[in-house]
Amino acid sequence: PPRSTLFPYTTLFRSQIVGHAVPMATVTINRAAIDRALTNGLQDTVRDLDSAYQTAIESPRYAWPGITRRRSGETAGTTRNIVDRGDFRDFQQVQFINPFLAEFSWNTPYAPQIFFGYTTRAGNSFPPRNPVEEAHKVIDPTALFAESVRRYAS
């Protein structure tokens, strides 16, 4: 018997009896088991990606020294890094659109500036800081999902 419960019978044999094909075995697909493996695999993948994105946001690559010097040389009394305050990280959300699709979002007005970078009116440039790209350098979502589905399918 096969190891996977998704496809209990994977071979179809036919024999010829008086010119007619007679099925000797049939292929049965367990749709519920497939759906369960995919749904659980997606949930595990989303959980791991959620953590990976949080880690990327908190990584030293995004750290800000907390000191902002004005043109006059005066030190500003507040930090100017929205990531440093945790606002961006705290607004990370995930929504399951359906059992097979999940969407991450950062519901803040400044999320596009973080993801794509920006230049102020004064000409100060801030590079993009895309935590999704950073996380995907460490964790491959496709491989993660495939491994999760394999785990549930066996």
Side-chain angles (χ1 to χ4, degrees):
R3 289 181 17 194
S4 171
T5 58
L6 298 179
F7 301 100
Y9 302 99
T10 57
T11 308
L12 178 62
F13 295 99
R14 294 184 181 271
S15 66
Q16 296 289 337
I17 298 178
V18 192
H20 296 285
V22 176
M24 302 298 286
T26 58
V27 175
T28 304
I29 297 174
N30 185 340
R31 170 80 190 253
I34 292 171
D35 287 352
R36 195 169 31 259
L38 291 171
T39 300
N40 290 338
L42 179 63
Q43 289 172 350
D44 286 358
T45 302
V46 165
R47 183 195 63 236
D48 292 346
L49 287 174
D50 186 60
S51 176
Y53 297 159
Q54 294 284 331
T55 299
I57 290 168
E58 295 168 354
S59 77
R61 182 183 190 293
Y62 298 108
W64 183 270
I67 299 169
T68 301
R69 299 222 185 270
R70 297 199 168 108
R71 291 181 201 203
S72 65
E74 176 187 5
T75 301
T78 59
T79 182
R80 300 288 174 97
N81 187 351
I82 54 181
V83 177
D84 194 49
R85 292 193 328 246
D87 293 346
F88 182 68
R89 180 196 65 236
D90 293 343
F91 279 103
Q92 179 173 308
Q93 298 174 354
V94 64
Q95 177 184 8
F96 286 89
I97 307 299
N98 63 50
F100 309 111
L101 177 65
E103 178 180 84
F104 283 89
S105 63
W106 289 263
N107 192 18
T108 61
Y110 48 81
Q113 286 87 352
I114 291 175
F115 276 92
F116 305 111
Y118 63 101
T119 302
T120 65
R121 284 184 224 159
N124 297 324
S125 228
F126 295 89
R129 299 179 292 178
N130 188 330
V132 173
E133 287 179 359
E134 289 302 309
H136 290 185
K137 290 177 184 176
V138 178
I139 188 169
D140 176 7
T142 303
L144 185 64
F145 177 68
E147 181 54 38
S148 293
V149 170
R150 266 194 292 278
R151 214 174 29 253
Y152 286 105
S154 57

